[in-house]
């Protein structure tokens, strides 16, 4: 567990609100530069009421968007650096298979970024897919591409590692007013039995089980997330079961464990990393849309750079708040 401390100063250079993986990495980068940094959370840590808890998260370089593919090269290096600093193993290489229709533009973009960034992997036709992975039944004639560098991050251990290094973690007993940190308004269902990303994942935590995530689901109120799922949740589980029956016929489709998890999705599923439009001393990191964990080391660095007024290391256009011109003022 992270070392929780009472605030030792009444004056900090930076206060980070939200001790999920993004806030924790932001505080880590700020503290590394020697600034007085305070990391606040509304709940005692660790907790399971945000998006960063759990045993595993996928890390991959297979991204259709060039901006994430670029950031992933550095993210892998920073994860390695954290492993060395914390003396902990946080990443296990398993490889990953992306399935899609050959004509699907997203699938094609993914193949192009893998080639462009020299990521080792292979292309599979429908036939060679089934030969190599007999447990996978390409249902609509999908083809595949693999990313050999992909694997699994130990989420809880990674969060603990980054929080333990160099940071004053302080638990705030109440919500920081006006801060809608990062906990989410879209749930995702996680069942242990991967829609279009299939990972070599029979996992340590549940030997013999395969983890399958449905990156969508019925909207939920983050304040009410402990309420039992309503009837509307059932079709979401049914979607997962149908997926397993069709694509992975060797698995028992009924989930052994079902967890209701929170995502914060933006309309285009790109992150928001920007300065507050009115208050220039507030930097916002939000909307990690169910794929932010692997990129947290770089996200933290960018939020740190924005907050100290440095030129960010990457082009920030995809992450600007102003790409949503209709955003109501109260949302900020
Ligand atoms: C089931 C699941 C599977 C996922 N799989 C992957 C994957 O395979 N690969 C991948 O890269 N990503 C994955 N993701 C996404 C990734 O985990 C998230 O993008 C990431 O954890 C978001 O981190 P965060 O710090 O923004 O949010 P959180 O972890 O939710 O942290 C926000 C923190 O802010 C605190 N907070 C909020 N409001 C306030 C307030 N007003 N005052 C004080 N504190 C406040 C909360 O208590 C919380 O601790 C997955 C997510 C889920 C849920």
């Amino acid at each position: 567990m992270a070392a929780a401390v009472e605030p030792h100063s009444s004056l900090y250079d930076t206060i980070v609100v939200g001790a999920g993986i993004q806030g924790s990495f932001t505080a880590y980068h700020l503290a590394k530069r020697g600034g007085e940094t305070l990391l606040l959370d509304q709940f005692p840590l660790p907790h399971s009421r945000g998006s960063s808890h759990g045993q595993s998260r996928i890390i991959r370089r297979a991204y259709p968007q060039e901006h994430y593919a670029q950031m992933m090269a550095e993210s892998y290096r920073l994860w390695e650096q954290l492993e060395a600093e914390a003396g902990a193993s946080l990443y296990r290489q398993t490889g990953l298979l992306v399935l899609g229709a050959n004509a699907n533009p997203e699938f094609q973009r993914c193949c192009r970024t893998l080639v462009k960034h020299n990521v080792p992997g292979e292309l599979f036709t429908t036939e060679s897919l089934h030969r190599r992975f007999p447990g996978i039944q390409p249902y609509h004639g999908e083809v595949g591409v693999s990313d050999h560098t992909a694997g699994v991050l130990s989420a809880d251990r990674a969060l603990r590692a980054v929080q333990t290094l160099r940071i004053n973690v302080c638990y705030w007993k109440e919500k920081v007013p006006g801060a809608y940190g990062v906990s989410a308004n879209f749930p995702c269902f996680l069942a242990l039995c991967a829609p279009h990303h299939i990972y070599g994942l029979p996992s340590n935590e549940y030997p013999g089980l395969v983890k399958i995530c449905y990156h969508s689901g019925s909207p939920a109120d983050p304040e009410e997330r402990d309420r039992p799922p309503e009837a509307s949740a059932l079709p979401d589980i049914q979607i997962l079961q149908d997926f397993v029956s069709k694509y992975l016929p060797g698995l028992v489709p009924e989930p052994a464990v079902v967890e209701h998890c929170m995502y914060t999705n933006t309309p285009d599923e790109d992150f928001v990393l920007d300065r507050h439009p009115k208050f220039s001393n507030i930097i916002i990191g939000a909307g990690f849309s169910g794929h932010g964990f692997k990129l947290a080391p770089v996200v933290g660095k960018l939020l740190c750079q924005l907050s100290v007024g440095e030129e960010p290391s990457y082009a920030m256009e995809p992450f600007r708040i102003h790409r949503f011109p209709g955003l109501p003022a109260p949302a900020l």
Side-chain angles (χ1 to χ4, degrees):
M1 172 163 161
V5 295
E6 290 298 314
H8 66 266
S9 162
S10 55
L11 203 58
Y12 287 90
D13 298 309
T14 316
I15 297 177
V16 179
V17 180
I21 196 68
Q22 312 294 3
S24 299
F25 258 113
T26 306
Y28 162 91
H29 285 287
L30 285 162
K32 267 196 157 189
R33 291 161 175 252
E36 285 285 333
T37 306
L38 182 65
L39 176 60
L40 297 177
D41 204 279
Q42 63 188 330
F43 302 123
L45 306 177
H47 71 80
S48 57
R49 302 178 72 185
S51 297
S52 303
H53 68 282
Q55 307 232 9
S56 60
R57 292 290 185 278
I58 277 91
I59 179 166
R60 60 184 152 102
R61 297 186 66 184
Y63 255 108
Q65 302 93 333
E66 172 61 20
H67 48 280
Y68 294 122
Q70 276 179 16
M71 290 158 77
M72 277 313 300
E74 182 176 12
S75 202
Y76 269 93
R77 287 197 296 277
L78 293 175
W79 279 114
E80 260 179 43
Q81 189 178 313
L82 178 68
E83 282 185 310
E85 288 172 355
S89 167
L90 306 172
Y91 158 68
R92 184 163 58 93
Q93 188 173 353
T94 61
L96 166 139
L97 186 59
V98 180
L99 299 183
N102 202 16
N104 180 305
E106 197 167 315
F107 181 79
Q108 286 299 330
R109 282 201 301 275
C110 194
C111 294
R112 283 199 293 274
T113 53
L114 286 169
V115 170
K116 181 171 174 192
H117 293 275
N118 295 316
V119 179
E122 276 171 80
L123 279 170
F124 295 95
T125 61
T126 310
E127 295 72 33
S128 63
L129 242 183
H130 194 52
R131 267 200 311 277
R132 180 75 78 82
F133 303 100
I136 297 175
Q137 176 68 55
Y139 193 68
H140 292 297
E142 278 99 342
V143 294
V145 65
S146 61
D147 169 357
H148 291 180
T149 67
V152 180
L153 292 164
S154 304
D156 285 340
R157 282 167 51 204
L159 190 59
R160 195 164 55 236
V162 71
Q163 286 171 350
T164 309
L165 294 169
R166 300 167 196 266
I167 308 173
N168 272 333
V169 180
C170 173
Y171 309 130
W172 201 249
K173 300 290 180 289
E174 293 180 32
K175 291 189 113 183
V176 173
Y180 292 93
V182 238
S183 298
N185 51 9
F186 281 91
C188 108
F189 283 92
L190 186 154
L192 289 172
C193 324
H196 291 87
H197 291 110
I198 297 192
Y199 320 93
L201 240 194
S203 55
N204 283 342
E205 63 261 40
Y206 300 106
L209 298 179
V210 178
K211 176 174 165 181
I212 302 206
C213 292
Y214 170 43
H215 282 253
S216 192
S218 321
D221 179 348
E223 302 296 330
E224 302 275 348
R225 64 160 295 184
D226 292 334
R227 260 208 337 231
E230 292 178 9
S232 63
L234 294 175
D236 294 327
I237 295 171
Q238 190 62 51
I239 290 169
L240 272 170
Q241 291 183 343
D242 289 349
F243 174 85
V244 173
S245 304
K246 287 178 187 158
Y247 287 87
L248 302 162
L251 297 182
V252 175
E254 284 74 34
V257 180
V258 177
E259 203 181 323
H260 197 185
C261 309
M262 306 302 280
Y263 277 16
T264 312
N265 286 357
T266 61
D268 58 8
E269 298 190 359
D270 274 329
F271 310 157
V272 171
L273 308 173
D274 206 352
R275 201 170 286 283
H276 191 287
K278 289 199 199 115
F279 306 106
S280 63
N281 61 336
I282 297 178
I283 306 298
I284 298 172
F288 294 100
S289 304
H291 64 111
F293 203 96
K294 68 184 83 54
L295 282 150
V298 177
V299 166
K301 179 176 161 185
L302 289 169
L303 293 173
C304 166
Q305 289 173 325
L306 286 172
S307 72
V308 299
E310 249 175 41
E311 187 64 31
S313 310
Y314 295 86
M316 298 303 281
E317 275 323 305
F319 310 122
R320 297 274 185 227
I321 287 176
H322 290 302
R323 70 185 193 274
F324 307 120
L327 201 66
L332 297 171

